[in-house]
Amino acid sequence: MNHVTFGAIEAGGTKFVVAVADVNDPDTVIARESFPTLDGAGTLAQVIAFFDQYEDIAAIGIAAFGPIDINPDSRTYGYVLDTPKRGWSGYDFLGAMKAWRDIPYFWTTDVNGAGWSEYVSGAAADVENVVYLTVGTGVGAGIIQHGHLLSGNSHPEAGHIMMRKHPQDNYAGHCPFHGDACLEGLAAGPAIEDRWHESAKSLPDDHLAWEIEAYYLAQAAVTYTVTLRPDRIVFGGGVPHREVLLPMVRKAFAEQLADYLPVDDLDKYIVTVGNGDNAGVLGCFYLAKSLLAA
């Protein structure tokens, strides 16, 4: 294949998605494959086998499950850090890719990749300051301020902010570190299922589960609002697919914020994703493109 392409690696804890797009049209996927996540070496062998089909790759965006080291000054930059995923703790992900082909790579988290996609062409394409929150197997956030992904000495872990519990919630929590004290421990998909002993998909719209879930997601949105002052908060992941949920989040948000700060139109401030299941791959293409623009 002799046309110049961008590559995308959406590296999830359950599955990997790899894809390529033409550099002149990063919104259109030319080819795409997915496969279950094995250990580091086994998975990267499949990643490399896919990209070996393409001789002229200009850059690759990698959006990986975490925690990962994204600090270029760190000795473990490019590594997956301590994780319960077998065969990944201490794995030099970026180093393995560079050893295969030394081209530009944008190395970031899965939520940053999806969040960047929403910022460029999705539900937040008309604003500059965005919090993208994914609520699924875990909870994480990609934060964009004035067109830049936010990071300190590493990426945000905004799914682990401390929470005030709903008065009707007696659940012990799902987070192995914080129990029932953090957002992920109370609001991630597995927490919903563990609390109610059935799949979230089977819970009816009028179940107390959704009031409790909305309470926690609204509380998180208030925290991000008062600390980061975003123009928009975008919810992604499997849990916000439930249509009844976001209107309840907006209502609980208004109650909890209590008019402390002006937020004009909650229907435009708290929204769901625009790019759907393509967000991660598109974000990787856009981040790869940004390397060449820089």
Side-chain angles (χ1 to χ4, degrees):
M1 306 247 178
N2 55 15
H3 58 277
V4 181
T5 56
F6 289 132
I9 304 173
E10 186 182 3
T14 302
K15 71 173 182 176
F16 267 54
V17 180
V18 289
V20 289
D22 192 286
V23 292
N24 296 313
D25 186 15
D27 290 289
T28 303
V29 177
I30 295 173
R32 172 183 182 139
E33 287 184 15
S34 65
F35 38 82
T37 303
L38 308 174
D39 63 359
T43 307
L44 265 289
Q46 295 182 77
V47 170
I48 288 168
F50 172 80
F51 286 118
D52 271 338
Q53 302 172 83
Y54 303 92
E55 296 176 4
D56 202 355
I57 301 176
I60 293 177
I62 306 173
F65 70 92
I68 61 175
D69 190 338
I70 65 165
N71 183 348
D73 296 326
S74 169
R75 63 179 181 81
T76 54
Y77 173 65
Y79 283 64
V80 178
L81 303 177
D82 288 339
T83 173
K85 191 70 180 171
R86 189 179 68 82
W88 283 97
S89 289
Y91 183 71
D92 186 3
F93 191 137
L94 185 58
M97 293 305 300
K98 284 183 172 291
W100 164 72
R101 197 177 293 179
D102 192 13
I103 58 175
Y105 294 91
F106 199 109
W107 167 248
T108 192
T109 63
D110 48 0
V111 286
N112 275 351
W116 191 254
S117 165
E118 293 300 317
Y119 168 70
V120 173
S121 68
D126 59 331
V127 297
E128 282 294 292
N129 303 289
V130 185
V131 173
Y132 168 82
L133 189 73
T134 185
V135 187
T137 304
V139 178
I143 299 164
I144 296 158
Q145 290 192 317
H146 300 295
H148 298 279
L149 286 166
L150 181 69
S151 63
N153 66 358
S154 191
H155 55 84
E157 282 287 349
H160 292 270
I161 57 173
M162 298 295 102
M163 304 294 287
R164 178 179 60 194
K165 288 193 74 171
H166 187 282
Q168 292 177 266
D169 187 14
N170 298 315
Y171 178 54
H174 196 268
C175 178
F177 298 95
H178 307 125
D180 67 348
C182 76
L183 176 62
E184 181 170 293
L186 290 168
I192 299 172
E193 297 188 12
D194 190 34
R195 182 190 280 109
W196 302 108
H197 309 295
E198 62 178 294
S199 168
K201 293 179 180 178
S202 69
L203 294 169
D205 284 352
D206 60 354
H207 197 284
L208 177 62
W210 302 115
E211 179 187 321
I212 290 176
E213 183 72 7
Y215 178 87
Y216 293 133
L217 297 184
Q219 190 180 154
V222 168
T223 297
Y224 304 141
T225 295
V226 298
T227 54
L228 298 167
R229 301 303 299 273
D231 301 311
R232 188 161 299 151
I233 298 175
V234 181
F235 280 94
V239 172
H241 283 174
R242 180 60 72 101
E243 289 187 10
V244 72
L245 184 59
L246 230 61
M248 296 174 72
V249 172
R250 295 185 187 111
K251 181 175 183 291
F253 174 88
E255 292 169 354
Q256 293 179 33
L257 187 62
D259 293 324
Y260 179 65
L261 295 173
V263 179
D264 292 335
D265 187 343
L266 287 182
D267 288 340
K268 293 181 179 179
Y269 183 67
I270 295 175
V271 301
T272 54
V273 292
N275 285 329
D277 293 337
N278 286 324
V281 164
L282 288 176
C284 289
F285 289 148
Y286 299 153
L287 290 168
K289 182 179 179 180
S290 75
L291 292 172
L292 301 192

